[in-house]
Amino acid sequence: MRVGVLTGGGDCPGLNAVLRAVTRKGISVFGHEIIGFRNGWLGPIEGLTTPLTLDKVEEILNRGGTILGSSRTNPYKVDGGVDRLKATIAEHRIDALVAIGGEDTLGVAEKLTQEGVPVVGVPKTIDNDLDATDYTFGFDTAVHIATEAIDRLRTTAESHHRALVVEVMGRHAGWIALHSGLAGGANVILVPEQEFSVERVVDWVQQRFERQYAPIIVVAEGAIPEGGEELLAGGEKDAFGHVRLGGVGTWLADEIANRTGKESRAVVLGHTQRGGTPTAYDRVLATRFGLHAIDAITDGDHGKMVALRGTDIVRVPLSEATAALKTVPKERLAEAEVLFG
């Protein structure tokens, strides 16, 4: 078999581990030929290919990003994109395709499956918001990076008696904010799933100052104040209709300073959460996903996504994985709130 593979959407640690696993097992166990498509869905649209050999994946397990490159290209938004994609697959005699990505990339994969293109999906997103899987690789690394940042910021906050607001990624789901905030001992955690009261945040901040400690507030980029709306870093939409969020951390820091009279600073972690070496957990999870994805390809079990359920890797329909976002449930937020202030 000739198997195509691509990485789409935002990069994250662990992508190369999947490519390594797909290539090693695909070649060594099944005798497949593995063809990499560059730059996400743009690769099969424009015929951007590179062979993936055992030598090419030998030293990539611990590398962040993706050796294939990525993009937020949507074939359904490109003039003739789907037809050109199908033509490329036919030209290169691709028997099946492994698509590694999040809701947008796998949403395209699900549509292509309905049109007869044989695709198997691998879930990737640092936001951990893909449904039908307990965890996605990249999330653990992002949480570790954010937690380390909180630990470092706490010492400087205490030294200068400041409130520090840490803005992390999370457009519609607050998993990074929740997990890093809990792990870092944040005094307030704000997520997109629940609008927040500025007055209540200020009250928690005051309580912390009264105890002679500096408050740490972790806020997801998509968090919304009561009666407000998302703060946008830019007005342009990408090919999947997303605008770039950002600025809620700075806005909240200013509100805290104005209402308390205390010095307040904001730190936006941004793309540092995506970069660098993946954690051991993400390397193992990504590797297992890759091994099971090439199994599904070999079995001809297309239209599926490999998913983590408990400690097992299972196959679920792509339609199930992309039907809805996995957001933080209210009971998880209630658990955290008892630690605030």
Side-chain angles (χ1 to χ4, degrees):
M1 291 180 67
R2 286 172 61 87
V3 180
V5 59
L6 62 85
T7 55
D11 69 300
C12 81
L15 284 167
N16 287 322
V18 182
L19 297 176
R20 173 178 176 269
V22 167
T23 301
R24 286 177 66 90
K25 189 170 187 179
I27 294 174
S28 300
V29 176
F30 299 121
H32 298 329
E33 186 176 355
I34 311 299
I35 307 298
F37 285 102
R38 294 188 178 278
N39 304 331
W41 290 115
L42 187 65
I45 292 175
E46 298 192 349
L48 308 175
T49 65
T50 182
L52 290 183
T53 62
L54 294 178
D55 287 343
K56 279 194 176 180
V57 301
E58 183 65 29
E59 300 292 340
I60 67 173
L61 178 62
N62 64 340
R63 285 176 58 179
T66 165
I67 62 170
L68 291 180
S70 190
S71 73
R72 297 190 183 277
T73 303
N74 183 349
Y76 290 90
K77 297 294 184 180
V78 176
D79 188 28
V82 175
D83 290 337
R84 290 162 61 188
L85 180 150
K86 291 178 179 179
T88 297
I89 290 176
E91 177 186 348
H92 290 274
R93 307 188 314 280
I94 301 299
D95 296 297
L97 189 63
V98 176
I100 311 166
E103 58 168 322
D104 296 326
T105 300
L106 297 186
V108 170
E110 199 271 330
K111 288 182 180 179
L112 290 173
T113 297
Q114 294 178 6
E115 297 189 29
V117 179
V119 186
V120 168
V122 176
K124 171 252 27 164
T125 168
I126 66 170
D127 290 331
N128 197 42
D129 59 359
L130 261 177
D131 210 0
T133 184
D134 290 347
Y135 283 97
T136 56
F137 69 87
F139 172 66
D140 187 71
T141 302
V143 169
H144 273 258
I145 292 169
T147 301
E148 182 180 9
I150 294 168
D151 290 342
R152 292 178 180 276
L153 291 168
R154 183 178 298 282
T155 59
T156 187
E158 297 288 359
S159 296
H160 293 276
H161 314 291
R162 291 172 176 157
L164 267 172
V165 180
V166 185
E167 182 181 316
V168 300
M169 285 184 169
R171 174 181 296 275
H172 300 300
W175 292 107
I176 295 177
L178 177 65
H179 281 239
S180 64
L182 285 172
N187 307 109
V188 182
I189 301 169
L190 306 174
V191 297
E193 289 85 348
Q194 181 173 297
E195 290 187 352
F196 65 89
S197 162
V198 178
E199 290 75 14
R200 199 172 186 194
V201 171
V202 169
D203 182 55
W204 280 321
V205 167
Q206 291 280 32
Q207 291 178 37
R208 188 70 177 169
F209 276 128
E210 289 170 3
R211 294 169 56 199
Q212 304 301 309
Y213 292 104
I216 299 290
I217 300 94
V218 176
V219 56
E221 62 186 349
I224 302 174
E226 289 180 350
E229 57 186 15
E230 295 172 331
L231 273 73
L232 307 181
E236 291 188 4
K237 294 182 179 181
D238 65 18
F240 294 94
H242 302 311
V243 292
R244 187 159 58 94
L245 302 181
V248 66
T250 300
W251 176 85
L252 184 58
D254 290 342
E255 286 293 314
I256 291 171
N258 292 335
R259 297 182 187 220
T260 66
K262 300 287 188 178
E263 197 172 0
S264 182
R265 294 285 190 274
V267 176
V268 180
L269 298 186
H271 285 79
T272 59
Q273 296 159 90
R274 289 193 183 280
T277 301
T279 61
Y281 180 88
D282 277 341
R283 296 185 205 189
V284 172
L285 180 59
T287 297
R288 294 183 70 200
F289 278 157
L291 296 175
H292 282 263
I294 198 65
D295 284 345
I297 289 287
T298 305
D299 293 342
D301 195 8
H302 307 138
K304 299 292 180 61
M305 182 190 81
V306 291
L308 180 68
R309 295 282 178 85
T311 58
D312 297 326
I313 305 296
V314 300
R315 301 173 190 173
V316 299
L318 279 167
S319 57
E320 180 183 339
T322 57
L325 288 178
K326 181 180 66 182
T327 55
V328 178
K330 290 183 178 180
E331 54 268 24
R332 292 292 303 276
L333 300 176
E335 288 175 356
E337 192 167 315
V338 300
L339 301 172
F340 289 177

